[in-house]
Amino acid sequence: MNPFFRSPYLCAFTWLLFTTLFLGGTAFLAVAQEQPISSPSHKQQAMNISKVLRCPMATNLSLFESQAPIAHELKAQIFSMLEQGYSQDEIILFMVERYGEKIRYQPELKGSTVALWFGPLFLLLLGVGLCLGLIKRGALSSPS
């Protein structure tokens, strides 16, 4: 017989320890499962919010598309905040305050984001102007 189990007290303590760990782990897993969302409107709102926010870890993916662990945590936080009665705008504002303007897929139009909104249009107009200028210059300089 193993000398570890010679003492009845040690044997009882070991049995009690394993039983407690087993039952405690089972209870933890039962409680830790995600709770279903109470209403379908909360689910739809959460999906809409997660589509307009960018995942902080995944490159160029929304929270809705991302499978990163932080994306799952943020989606769970969105669900939780909706169930607590927060509106969509309040949740987005909370995420922006926490992670910065970079978490938005479409940043707001303000002084620091003007280049993001109008830069591509400016470059397109500049390119078209250069092409027209080169065409016009070539037409004037070519002998007919």
Side-chain angles (χ1 to χ4, degrees), residues 11 86 104 119 123 126:
C11 186
Y86 286 91
R104 289 183 192 252
L123 291 174
L126 183 67

Side-chain angles (χ1 to χ4, degrees), residues 19-38:
T19 304
T20 305
L21 287 175
F22 176 75
L23 293 177
T26 305
F28 173 76
L29 288 175
V31 172
Q33 297 296 322
E34 288 187 27
Q35 299 294 324
I37 298 176
S38 55

Side-chain angles (χ1 to χ4, degrees), residues 46-99:
M47 286 173 51
N48 291 339
I49 293 170
S50 66
K51 287 179 183 178
V52 299
L53 295 176
R54 184 184 311 270
C55 177
M57 291 294 292
T59 305
N60 206 22
L61 288 178
S62 68
L63 284 178
F64 183 75
E65 300 166 328
S66 178
Q67 295 298 320
I70 191 157
H72 291 296
E73 291 174 20
L74 291 177
K75 286 185 268 188
Q77 187 172 14
I78 290 170
F79 291 140
S80 172
M81 290 176 80
L82 282 171
E83 288 181 344
Q84 293 173 9
Y86 286 91
S87 70
Q88 182 171 346
D89 293 332
E90 290 172 330
I91 294 171
I92 291 174
L93 182 63
F94 171 79
M95 293 293 180
V96 168
E97 287 175 357
R98 186 170 179 189
Y99 293 99

Side-chain angles (χ1 to χ4, degrees), residues 5 27 32 35 52 57 61 94 102 106 108 110 114 120-121 129:
F5 291 107
Q35 299 294 324
V52 299
M57 291 294 292
L61 288 178
F94 171 79
K102 188 178 178 181
Q106 291 186 345
E108 290 181 336
K110 55 185 180 181
V114 168
L121 179 63

Side-chain angles (χ1 to χ4, degrees), residues 99-136:
Y99 293 99
E101 193 67 33
K102 188 178 178 181
I103 198 163
R104 289 183 192 252
Y105 242 107
Q106 291 186 345
E108 290 181 336
L109 180 60
K110 55 185 180 181
S112 61
T113 60
V114 168
L116 289 173
W117 284 98
F118 297 111
L121 179 63
F122 174 72
L123 291 174
L124 177 69
L125 292 176
L126 183 67
V128 169
L130 283 172
C131 287
L132 290 175
L134 290 174
I135 291 171
K136 189 174 182 180

